[in-house]
């Protein structure tokens, strides 16, 4: 066992590691990416926008090079599997390794069930589940190729556990429930080290409560009164800020959670506890 007492917070040290964060250009994904950068990780943010916006550029200005980390942008739509696979393969090849993935790309839509179209259901599931699934498999393939005992965090939601008051989301909620179950399934498949030494990849899901992101702000604008309902439903009586999930992401991607796999980490201000 390594003597971790010789270096401060060694279990959280990501220096020399390469990581991918999908949906990493803004909001929750970007906040979690910053957490990995602060710990010294080389982080590649994948997002579908042709170029990063002001929020990403401000985050890049906050990077402290002396800490060993860096932030990089790659334009990728997770629903384009060929492009997604090629991008993650290229990132791993450039670094000769891939140590972790945070799959945070997703969309939220508040629509009554009887108003949904087949196309609307497909779009939600294509991004929130299929895109996330393909991101996880693309990353795992590269971890195995380079012999990295990596870690994957699939971003789910407390909406995969409960039906949120004031939010008609009959497709979003099941998409996140599927992510929680996917983490368990992939953990069972990838965590054991095989005879050919493949495997050793931990997989967990993270279920945030209500977080103030650009997507959630759009929900509030279209549905007056929703914010007040959501704030009253958790013990903190407020929404979370994306930066409050930086440490959780670092924990799940680092050696600090080395015996944790197939779990769902719920951080929701006590929403699902009462």
């Amino acid at each position: 066992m390594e003597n971790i007492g010789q270096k401060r917070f060694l279990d959280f040290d990501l220096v020399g590691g390469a990581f991918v964060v999908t949906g990493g250009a803004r909001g929750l994904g970007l906040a979690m990416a910053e957490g990995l950068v602060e710990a010294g990780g080389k982080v590649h943010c994948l997002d579908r926008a042709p170029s990063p916006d002001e929020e990403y550029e401000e985050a890049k200005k906050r990077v402290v090079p002396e800490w060993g980390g860096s932030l990089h942008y790659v334009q990728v739509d997770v629903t384009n599997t060929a492009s997604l696979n090629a991008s993650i393969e290229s990132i791993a090849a450039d670094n000769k390794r891939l140590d972790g993935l945070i799959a945070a790309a997703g969309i939220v839509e508040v629509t009554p069930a009887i108003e949904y179209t087949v196309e609307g259901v497909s779009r939600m599931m294509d991004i929130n589940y299929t895109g996330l699934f393909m991101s996880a498999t693309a990353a795992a393939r590269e971890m195995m190729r380079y012999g990295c005992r990596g870690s994957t965090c699939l971003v789910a939601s407390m909406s995969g556990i409960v039906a949120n008051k004031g939010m008609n989301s009959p497709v979003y909620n099941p998409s996140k429930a599927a992510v929680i179950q996917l983490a368990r399934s992939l953990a069972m498949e990838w965590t054991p080290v095989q005879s050919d030494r493949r495997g050793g990849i931990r997989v967990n899901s993270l279920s945030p409560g209500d977080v103030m992101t650009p997507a959630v702000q759009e929900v509030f604008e279209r549905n007056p009164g929703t914010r007040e309902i959501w704030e009253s439903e958790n013990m903190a009586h407020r929404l979370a800020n994306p930066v409050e999930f930086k440490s959780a992401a670092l924990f799940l991607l680092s050696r600090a959670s080395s015996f944790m796999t197939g779990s769902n980490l719920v951080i929701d201000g006590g929403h699902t506890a009462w």
Side-chain angles (χ1 to χ4, degrees):
M1 179 68 73
E2 187 175 3
N3 183 0
I4 63 173
Q6 297 302 306
K7 184 176 180 181
R8 193 179 188 191
F9 299 129
L10 181 60
D11 277 351
F12 296 93
D13 188 356
L14 301 182
V15 172
F19 303 86
V20 168
V21 180
T22 67
R26 63 176 188 161
L28 185 59
L30 179 57
M32 293 191 290
E34 283 197 80
L36 305 185
V37 172
E38 289 177 17
K42 185 177 181 180
V43 183
H44 302 265
C45 294
L46 276 55
D47 215 292
R48 61 185 177 182
S51 59
D53 62 16
E54 183 178 349
E55 185 180 358
Y56 175 89
E57 296 297 345
E58 287 299 318
K60 194 160 186 177
K61 292 177 183 177
R62 292 192 288 268
V63 174
V64 181
E66 291 80 6
W67 294 350
S70 57
L71 199 61
H72 309 269
Y73 186 80
V74 182
Q75 193 270 318
V76 177
D77 186 333
V78 296
T79 64
N80 185 333
T81 304
S83 176
L84 176 67
N85 287 342
S87 295
I88 293 179
E89 181 178 350
S90 176
I91 290 167
D94 288 345
N95 292 281
K96 300 297 186 289
R97 63 185 304 119
L98 186 63
D99 298 273
L101 165 75
I102 296 177
I107 58 173
V108 181
E109 188 171 286
V110 179
T111 303
I114 61 173
E115 295 179 13
Y116 256 102
T117 63
V118 171
E119 292 77 16
V121 173
S122 295
R123 176 173 176 268
M124 179 76 70
M125 297 303 294
D126 284 349
I127 297 172
N128 289 9
Y129 181 76
T130 305
L132 180 143
F133 181 97
M134 300 313 296
S135 299
T137 56
R141 193 176 299 116
E142 299 310 314
M143 291 179 199
M144 293 178 187
R145 187 195 308 273
Y146 292 95
C148 297
R149 302 287 170 81
S151 179
T152 292
C153 168
L154 306 181
V155 178
S157 170
M158 72 172 187
S159 299
I161 304 170
V162 297
N164 314 58
K165 292 181 181 178
M167 180 177 174
N168 294 324
S169 47
V171 182
Y172 175 78
N173 291 6
S175 76
K176 291 302 184 178
V179 169
I180 295 170
Q181 181 63 4
L182 177 63
R184 299 187 186 109
S185 300
L186 295 182
M188 182 182 69
E189 184 175 343
W190 295 342
T191 301
V193 178
Q194 307 299 326
S195 58
D196 60 0
R197 301 194 62 78
R198 288 160 65 94
I201 300 171
R202 298 183 296 108
V203 185
N204 295 287
S205 56
L206 172 64
S207 288
D210 297 317
V211 187
M212 196 60 208
T213 64
V216 168
Q217 180 60 45
E218 291 173 7
V219 171
F220 292 158
E221 291 171 358
R222 294 195 303 268
N223 301 272
T226 300
R227 178 167 186 162
E228 289 73 18
I229 295 173
W230 288 8
E231 289 179 337
S232 69
E233 287 297 310
N234 67 58
M235 297 176 183
H237 296 304
R238 66 176 178 85
L239 271 65
N241 188 298
V243 299
E244 295 181 282
F245 296 87
K246 287 169 59 178
S247 296
L250 175 57
F251 170 69
L252 291 173
L253 270 290
S254 70
R255 288 180 294 178
S257 59
S258 59
F259 196 58
M260 182 177 178
T261 193
S263 296
N264 180 40
L265 179 59
V266 180
I267 305 177
D268 64 357
H271 186 116
T272 59
W274 66 358

